[in-house]
Each structure stands twice: as C-alpha cells, then as structure tokens.
Amino acid sequence: MVKRWPKETIAAGRRHTVGLKLDGTVTAVGDNKYGQCDVGGWSDIVAVAAGNVHMATNTGNAHTVGLKSDSTVAAAGWNKHDQCDVNDWRDIVAVAAGWRRTVGLKSDGTVVAVGRNNEGECNVSGWRDMVAVAAGDWHTVGLKSDGTVVAVGNNRYGQCNVSGWRDIVAVAAGYLHTALLKSDGTVAAVGLNKHDQCDVSGWRGIVAIAAGSHHTIGLKSDGTVAAVGWNEYGQCNVSGWRDIVAVATGCAHTIGLKSDGTVVAVGDNEYGQCDVRGWRGIQLPGN
C-alpha cells in the first residue's frame, strides 16, 4: 500500500466550518466563541481539521487544527483540556480533531494525541505503521498500512469493534459510530445505529467517507454524494450535489467541495456554519 497521507482541505465542527485556500491560508465561518475561527493569521497550511462535538446543549465548544507545510501544527480555539497544545509537534503528516482532543500522524507511522483522555481515546502511543487517523467524540481510529484498523476509547456501542476488517483504505469516526471505506468502493460501519447511520451496506463506487454525529456521508466516483442517518436539519439532503471532490461533516451539517474550488453546505446553520456560498479557491484534495 502506497503511503498516501490524506490531506483534508475542508473540515466541519459542531458550529463552524473551515476551508483551506490555494495560497495556504485558511478561512472559517460559524461560531467563534472560543476563537476557533481565528485562523486569519495562518499561512503555509496543507491540511485542516475541526473538533467535532455532538448535539448536547452543554457542548459545542470546539477548536481548529492546521497542518503546516513544515510538518508542524497550528491550533486555535477551545483549550480546556490542552487539546491545542501542539506547538512542539514535529514530523506530522496528517491531523484529526475530536471532541476535546487533537491527533497527529507522524511520518514514521506513529501517532501522538493531546487532550481529554477519560476513556482512553488518547492511548495511541503504541500504534505503528499507521497511514491515517480519525477522531470521533470519544474514540480514535487508526488505519494501518496493511489495510487493517485499530481503535481506542469509548466502545459502548461497538464503535471500536474494527479488528476484523481488511482491505480498508479510509476511516471516519462520528459521535458513536465508525465508518470504513474498503478498497472495492464499498463501505462498512459499526457502532450506534439509532438513526440508520450505519446502513451503508448498499453503497457502491465510494471514494471518500465522512461521519457526523448521527449521519454518514459517502462521496461517489462520479462526483455525487450518498447520505444516511439523522436528517433533522437536512444534513443528508445531498442528492442534488454534483462535481463534488471532497466531503466533510459537522455534528449536523455537511460540506461538499466542488471541482471548481467552491463549496456547498446543507444542515444546521444556527451559527452561520453553512454560509460558505462566497468561498472561492479552496484547495482540491491531492493538490
């Protein structure tokens, strides 16, 4: 398996949305209560991540992470659990952000994590040969170079029961579920299925996946998008989307990056997190 570290150029948190521009700067819209949108001074960024949170009324605080071209990491926003203390990280090739924590994949295949660890979601120091990481609210998922998957953290709903999977090429972690993209373009999911967010067995031709709090998104090879799960805010209303090259999910909103560098969004917009209509020049994945 060729080392192809995913470089996410769009990211969505509980109440905000982040985009990486062609010039290496970052733009963000939505709730900025904790400064999670204060990314205007960032430069030389090659990937972004946004701390996701579930819908509970006592949460919503989030942070934003940026991977720099020199393999260091920048972070802004809520730092109650030291989830933004990434200044000393080096040799990072991919980043992920969960609720109250930040995860970094190093060039040697090891993984580092900072932030809340009440349920072992930061216990990644023993991981080796990793090529991708994903962070759910309370669990962390790692994809190994041999196509197998490991997970740590909360497993109340079986969201960490990933040890039997093979031929996996991408992973996504939601609130209480995990989605896995297989090399044949099909998708598997484990964990809480209360809103049918794990009903992905019929999907075909998928090239990328994203997991929100209670919904799962699949990008198809023809540029269209599939969605299952909770749709109270219209976050699954993506059937009309075309020319999509990347997807990202917040708690209850969904973001799509189009091939022309513009962005579309559906779902919860209480904080303006879907106000991306004016965005231009967002980097395409792989650029």
Side-chain angles (χ1 to χ4, degrees), residues 37-109:
C37 291
D38 292 345
V39 295
W42 290 6
S43 59
D44 299 315
I45 303 295
V46 296
V48 289
N52 208 345
V53 235
H54 47 284
M55 209 72 193
T57 53
N58 66 335
T59 67
N61 311 330
H63 67 297
T64 303
V65 180
L67 174 62
K68 302 192 76 171
S69 58
D70 64 0
S71 300
T72 63
V73 180
W78 194 43
N79 196 32
K80 180 180 179 181
H81 300 267
D82 302 327
Q83 61 264 47
C84 291
D85 292 356
V86 294
N87 291 340
D88 60 343
W89 285 9
R90 299 290 182 272
D91 301 315
I92 304 296
V93 293
V95 287
W99 185 48
R100 307 184 180 199
R101 82 184 178 289
T102 304
V103 181
L105 172 63
K106 302 190 75 171
S107 57
D108 64 0

Side-chain angles (χ1 to χ4, degrees), residues 153-172:
N154 182 297
N155 195 32
R156 181 178 175 188
Y157 295 95
Q159 64 264 42
C160 290
N161 295 349
V162 295
S163 59
W165 297 102
R166 301 287 183 273
D167 301 315
I168 304 301
V169 294
V171 290

Side-chain angles (χ1 to χ4, degrees), residues 4-9 20 46 245-246 257 283-287:
R4 179 189 151 269
W5 294 302
K7 296 284 193 291
E8 306 296 342
T9 63
L20 173 61
V46 296
V245 294
L257 174 60
Q283 272 194 39
L284 306 186
N287 283 10

Side-chain angles (χ1 to χ4, degrees), residues 12-284:
R14 162 71 170 86
R15 299 169 175 166
H16 76 298
T17 302
V18 183
L20 173 61
K21 302 186 79 171
L22 285 167
D23 62 1
T25 63
V26 179
T27 185
V29 292
D31 179 31
N32 196 32
K33 180 180 178 183
Y34 284 89
Q36 60 263 47
C37 291
D38 292 345
V39 295
W42 290 6
S43 59
D44 299 315
I45 303 295
V46 296
V48 289
N52 208 345
V53 235
H54 47 284
M55 209 72 193
T57 53
N58 66 335
T59 67
N61 311 330
H63 67 297
T64 303
V65 180
L67 174 62
K68 302 192 76 171
S69 58
D70 64 0
S71 300
T72 63
V73 180
W78 194 43
N79 196 32
K80 180 180 179 181
H81 300 267
D82 302 327
Q83 61 264 47
C84 291
D85 292 356
V86 294
N87 291 340
D88 60 343
W89 285 9
R90 299 290 182 272
D91 301 315
I92 304 296
V93 293
V95 287
W99 185 48
R100 307 184 180 199
R101 82 184 178 289
T102 304
V103 181
L105 172 63
K106 302 190 75 171
S107 57
D108 64 0
T110 62
V111 180
V112 289
V114 290
R116 182 187 191 270
N117 196 32
N118 295 28
E119 297 176 271
E121 59 266 56
C122 288
N123 295 346
V124 296
S125 59
W127 287 6
R128 299 289 182 272
D129 301 315
M130 295 295 158
V131 293
V133 288
D137 271 27
W138 297 321
H139 71 297
T140 304
V141 183
L143 173 62
K144 301 190 74 171
S145 58
D146 64 359
T148 62
V149 182
V150 292
V152 292
N154 182 297
N155 195 32
R156 181 178 175 188
Y157 295 95
Q159 64 264 42
C160 290
N161 295 349
V162 295
S163 59
W165 297 102
R166 301 287 183 273
D167 301 315
I168 304 301
V169 294
V171 290
Y175 172 29
L176 296 166
H177 76 294
T178 303
L180 310 160
L181 175 61
K182 302 189 75 172
S183 57
D184 65 0
T186 62
V187 181
V190 291
L192 182 67
N193 198 31
K194 180 181 178 182
H195 299 276
D196 300 328
Q197 61 263 49
C198 292
D199 292 356
V200 294
S201 58
W203 287 4
R204 299 290 183 272
I206 305 295
V207 294
I209 52 174
S213 275
H214 300 287
H215 71 298
T216 306
I217 300 294
L219 172 62
K220 302 184 79 168
S221 56
D222 64 0
T224 62
V225 180
V228 290
W230 187 46
N231 197 32
E232 182 175 333
Y233 294 86
Q235 62 264 44
C236 289
N237 296 347
V238 296
S239 59
W241 287 6
R242 299 290 183 272
D243 301 315
I244 305 296
V245 294
V247 287
T249 45
C251 168
H253 72 295
T254 304
I255 306 296
L257 174 60
K258 301 190 74 172
S259 57
D260 63 359
T262 62
V263 179
V264 288
V266 290
D268 180 22
N269 196 32
E270 182 180 355
Y271 296 86
Q273 62 263 51
C274 287
D275 295 346
V276 296
R277 189 179 298 269
W279 286 10
R280 299 286 184 276
I282 302 298
Q283 272 194 39
L284 306 186

